[in-house]
Amino acid sequence: MTQLLIVGPPGAGKGTQASRIAERFGIPTISTGDIFRWNIKERTPLGAQVTAILDAGDYVPDSLTNDLVEDRLGQADAQEGYLLDGYPRTEGQVAFLDELNERRGRGIDAVVRLVADHDEVIRRLQLRAAEQGRSDDTDEAMRHRLEVYERETEPILALYAARGIVVEIDGLGEIDEVTGRILDALSTRGVAAR
């Protein structure tokens, strides 16, 4: 069983690396954004709650996010582990995940932190915005998202760093190179892919 978290600023390649690492370990990538979208699409009771909150322009509260994550981690494909992307984002969510993992009988093995230069991340986001025709991705909006990421993520990373489980990875370079760095760093920690 392998339980991992991945964090990184927008544009650092987190989604790409998450799917590659999860595949190597034979575990699902679990993204809270994907969970929200799936529950909304499937019109589950939790999805109805999320829709009402988002339609009102509010943030999804920790309690509901926690319920969605707990439900997802209870599914069959997550019984042998998982890679979480986008969760936890608050100290309350960290505490909830700790309790949930205690019931599962295993804690987080490692937190993979992708580190990337701000200017390079902005360049990647600009390229992605141009490719996807997203006119709302202005430089100012992108820089704001990076600031929010740093402000929200730093306290969470500090909690995991105190446990000695954060693995910092240079997120820049060819995709295969970055994947190799992650796998090597995890292996050094005793977390080896199948």
Side-chain angles (χ1 to χ4, degrees):
M1 179 185 271
T2 303
Q3 298 184 160
L4 302 169
L5 306 181
I6 189 166
V7 297
K14 188 174 45 148
T16 299
Q17 292 302 328
S19 63
R20 297 180 108 209
I21 300 309
E23 184 179 330
R24 291 293 291 270
F25 280 89
I27 56 177
T29 299
I30 299 174
S31 156
T32 49
D34 291 346
I35 294 171
F36 291 155
R37 286 185 286 278
W38 184 86
N39 277 277
I40 290 167
K41 181 179 164 225
E42 296 298 318
R43 299 176 187 233
T44 68
L46 290 172
Q49 289 179 53
V50 170
T51 299
I53 291 165
L54 295 178
D55 285 351
D58 294 326
Y59 290 109
V60 179
D62 280 1
S63 59
L64 182 53
T65 303
N66 292 341
D67 287 347
L68 289 166
V69 169
E70 181 175 20
D71 178 69
R72 179 62 183 90
L73 293 182
Q75 294 175 15
D77 68 335
Q79 296 313 297
E80 294 302 314
Y82 56 77
L83 188 153
L84 281 172
D85 175 1
Y87 182 92
R89 288 186 185 241
T90 67
E91 291 183 27
Q93 290 176 1
V94 170
F96 181 83
L97 183 60
D98 286 345
E99 291 172 20
L100 185 57
N101 283 332
E102 190 173 313
R103 286 182 296 203
R104 291 170 63 98
R106 179 156 183 139
I108 298 295
D109 294 294
V111 177
V112 176
R113 179 184 188 186
L114 293 179
V115 180
D117 174 72
H118 276 210
D119 291 336
E120 177 60 19
V121 167
I122 294 290
R123 189 192 67 72
R124 286 182 180 186
L125 290 171
Q126 288 169 333
L127 182 63
R128 188 168 71 185
E131 289 172 353
Q132 296 175 4
R134 294 176 57 171
S135 59
D136 61 325
D137 268 343
T138 63
D139 284 357
E140 185 177 322
M142 290 179 213
R143 289 189 191 284
H144 176 70
R145 281 202 296 273
L146 288 171
E147 290 168 8
V148 169
Y149 160 77
E150 288 175 356
R151 184 174 61 244
E152 291 181 353
T153 306
E154 288 305 319
I156 302 310
L157 283 171
L159 291 172
Y160 287 119
R163 299 177 191 182
I165 60 172
V166 175
V167 177
E168 289 202 358
I169 306 295
D170 179 358
L172 299 180
E174 295 297 319
I175 293 171
D176 288 340
E177 290 174 6
V178 177
T179 302
R181 287 181 209 137
I182 294 170
L183 292 172
D184 289 347
L186 290 174
S187 180
T188 299
R189 287 195 50 76
V191 182
R194 296 178 182 176

